[in-house]
PDB file of all heavy atoms in Angstrom:
ATOM      1  N   ALA R 260      14.069  19.197  -7.794  1.00  0.00           N
ATOM      2  CA  ALA R 260      14.167  20.443  -8.559  1.00  0.00           C
ATOM      3  C   ALA R 260      14.787  20.169  -9.929  1.00  0.00           C
ATOM      4  O   ALA R 260      14.375  20.751 -10.943  1.00  0.00           O
ATOM      5  CB  ALA R 260      14.996  21.462  -7.792  1.00  0.00           C
ATOM      6  N   ILE R 261      15.769  19.269  -9.960  1.00  0.00           N
ATOM      7  CA  ILE R 261      16.429  18.929 -11.226  1.00  0.00           C
ATOM      8  C   ILE R 261      15.529  18.050 -12.094  1.00  0.00           C
ATOM      9  O   ILE R 261      15.387  18.278 -13.301  1.00  0.00           O
ATOM     10  CB  ILE R 261      17.768  18.210 -10.951  1.00  0.00           C
ATOM     11  CG1 ILE R 261      18.730  19.155 -10.213  1.00  0.00           C
ATOM     12  CG2 ILE R 261      18.390  17.717 -12.250  1.00  0.00           C
ATOM     13  CD1 ILE R 261      20.003  18.482  -9.740  1.00  0.00           C
ATOM     14  N   ALA R 262      14.890  17.061 -11.473  1.00  0.00           N
ATOM     15  CA  ALA R 262      14.113  16.079 -12.241  1.00  0.00           C
ATOM     16  C   ALA R 262      12.733  16.590 -12.648  1.00  0.00           C
ATOM     17  O   ALA R 262      12.255  16.296 -13.750  1.00  0.00           O
ATOM     18  CB  ALA R 262      13.963  14.790 -11.431  1.00  0.00           C
ATOM     19  N   PHE R 263      12.079  17.349 -11.759  1.00  0.00           N
ATOM     20  CA  PHE R 263      10.694  17.742 -12.008  1.00  0.00           C
ATOM     21  C   PHE R 263      10.497  19.252 -12.075  1.00  0.00           C
ATOM     22  O   PHE R 263       9.371  19.721 -12.227  1.00  0.00           O
ATOM     23  CB  PHE R 263       9.776  17.167 -10.910  1.00  0.00           C
ATOM     24  CG  PHE R 263       9.881  15.681 -10.757  1.00  0.00           C
ATOM     25  CD1 PHE R 263      10.451  15.124  -9.621  1.00  0.00           C
ATOM     26  CD2 PHE R 263       9.415  14.825 -11.744  1.00  0.00           C
ATOM     27  CE1 PHE R 263      10.540  13.757  -9.460  1.00  0.00           C
ATOM     28  CE2 PHE R 263       9.505  13.453 -11.599  1.00  0.00           C
ATOM     29  CZ  PHE R 263      10.068  12.915 -10.459  1.00  0.00           C
ATOM     30  N   GLY R 264      11.580  20.022 -11.925  1.00  0.00           N
ATOM     31  CA  GLY R 264      11.446  21.467 -11.974  1.00  0.00           C
ATOM     32  C   GLY R 264      10.798  22.068 -10.750  1.00  0.00           C
ATOM     33  O   GLY R 264      10.295  23.199 -10.786  1.00  0.00           O
ATOM     34  N   GLU R 265      10.789  21.326  -9.625  1.00  0.00           N
ATOM     35  CA  GLU R 265      10.203  21.857  -8.399  1.00  0.00           C
ATOM     36  C   GLU R 265      11.068  22.996  -7.855  1.00  0.00           C
ATOM     37  O   GLU R 265      12.286  23.022  -8.045  1.00  0.00           O
ATOM     38  CB  GLU R 265      10.058  20.748  -7.350  1.00  0.00           C
ATOM     39  CG  GLU R 265       9.069  19.664  -7.757  1.00  0.00           C
ATOM     40  CD  GLU R 265       8.858  18.642  -6.661  1.00  0.00           C
ATOM     41  OE1 GLU R 265       9.423  18.822  -5.557  1.00  0.00           O
ATOM     42  OE2 GLU R 265       8.131  17.658  -6.906  1.00  0.00           O
ATOM     43  N   GLU R 266      10.417  23.918  -7.153  1.00  0.00           N
ATOM     44  CA  GLU R 266      11.098  25.112  -6.666  1.00  0.00           C
ATOM     45  C   GLU R 266      12.125  24.771  -5.588  1.00  0.00           C
ATOM     46  O   GLU R 266      11.849  23.998  -4.672  1.00  0.00           O
ATOM     47  CB  GLU R 266      10.087  26.107  -6.098  1.00  0.00           C
ATOM     48  CG  GLU R 266      10.709  27.414  -5.624  1.00  0.00           C
ATOM     49  CD  GLU R 266       9.687  28.341  -5.004  1.00  0.00           C
ATOM     50  OE1 GLU R 266       8.532  27.907  -4.816  1.00  0.00           O
ATOM     51  OE2 GLU R 266      10.043  29.492  -4.704  1.00  0.00           O
ATOM     52  N   LEU R 267      13.323  25.349  -5.699  1.00  0.00           N
ATOM     53  CA  LEU R 267      14.370  25.201  -4.702  1.00  0.00           C
ATOM     54  C   LEU R 267      14.480  26.532  -3.968  1.00  0.00           C
ATOM     55  O   LEU R 267      14.976  27.518  -4.519  1.00  0.00           O
ATOM     56  CB  LEU R 267      15.701  24.834  -5.364  1.00  0.00           C
ATOM     57  CG  LEU R 267      16.846  24.427  -4.436  1.00  0.00           C
ATOM     58  CD1 LEU R 267      16.477  23.175  -3.663  1.00  0.00           C
ATOM     59  CD2 LEU R 267      18.122  24.200  -5.228  1.00  0.00           C
ATOM     60  N   THR R 268      14.015  26.574  -2.728  1.00  0.00           N
ATOM     61  CA  THR R 268      13.885  27.834  -2.005  1.00  0.00           C
ATOM     62  C   THR R 268      15.095  28.127  -1.133  1.00  0.00           C
ATOM     63  O   THR R 268      15.909  27.236  -0.845  1.00  0.00           O
ATOM     64  CB  THR R 268      12.629  27.808  -1.113  1.00  0.00           C
ATOM     65  OG1 THR R 268      12.794  26.785  -0.114  1.00  0.00           O
ATOM     66  CG2 THR R 268      11.388  27.508  -1.939  1.00  0.00           C
ATOM     67  N   VAL R 269      15.188  29.380  -0.690  1.00  0.00           N
ATOM     68  CA  VAL R 269      16.263  29.787   0.228  1.00  0.00           C
ATOM     69  C   VAL R 269      16.198  28.996   1.536  1.00  0.00           C
ATOM     70  O   VAL R 269      17.232  28.525   2.035  1.00  0.00           O
ATOM     71  CB  VAL R 269      16.196  31.302   0.493  1.00  0.00           C
ATOM     72  CG1 VAL R 269      17.183  31.694   1.596  1.00  0.00           C
ATOM     73  CG2 VAL R 269      16.493  32.080  -0.786  1.00  0.00           C
ATOM     74  N   PRO R 270      14.995  28.839   2.151  1.00  0.00           N
ATOM     75  CA  PRO R 270      14.944  28.010   3.377  1.00  0.00           C
ATOM     76  C   PRO R 270      15.494  26.605   3.181  1.00  0.00           C
ATOM     77  O   PRO R 270      16.116  26.048   4.094  1.00  0.00           O
ATOM     78  CB  PRO R 270      13.442  27.983   3.706  1.00  0.00           C
ATOM     79  CG  PRO R 270      12.916  29.252   3.144  1.00  0.00           C
ATOM     80  CD  PRO R 270      13.692  29.461   1.867  1.00  0.00           C
ATOM     81  N   MET R 271      15.279  26.015   1.998  1.00  0.00           N
ATOM     82  CA  MET R 271      15.820  24.682   1.746  1.00  0.00           C
ATOM     83  C   MET R 271      17.345  24.691   1.796  1.00  0.00           C
ATOM     84  O   MET R 271      17.969  23.794   2.371  1.00  0.00           O
ATOM     85  CB  MET R 271      15.353  24.172   0.381  1.00  0.00           C
ATOM     86  CG  MET R 271      13.908  23.751   0.324  1.00  0.00           C
ATOM     87  SD  MET R 271      13.493  23.115  -1.324  1.00  0.00           S
ATOM     88  CE  MET R 271      11.732  22.839  -1.117  1.00  0.00           C
TER      89      MET R 271
END
Side-chain angles (χ1 to χ4, degrees):
I261 296 172
F263 305 111
E265 295 185 4
E266 183 183 8
L267 189 62
T268 64
V269 172
M271 286 182 184

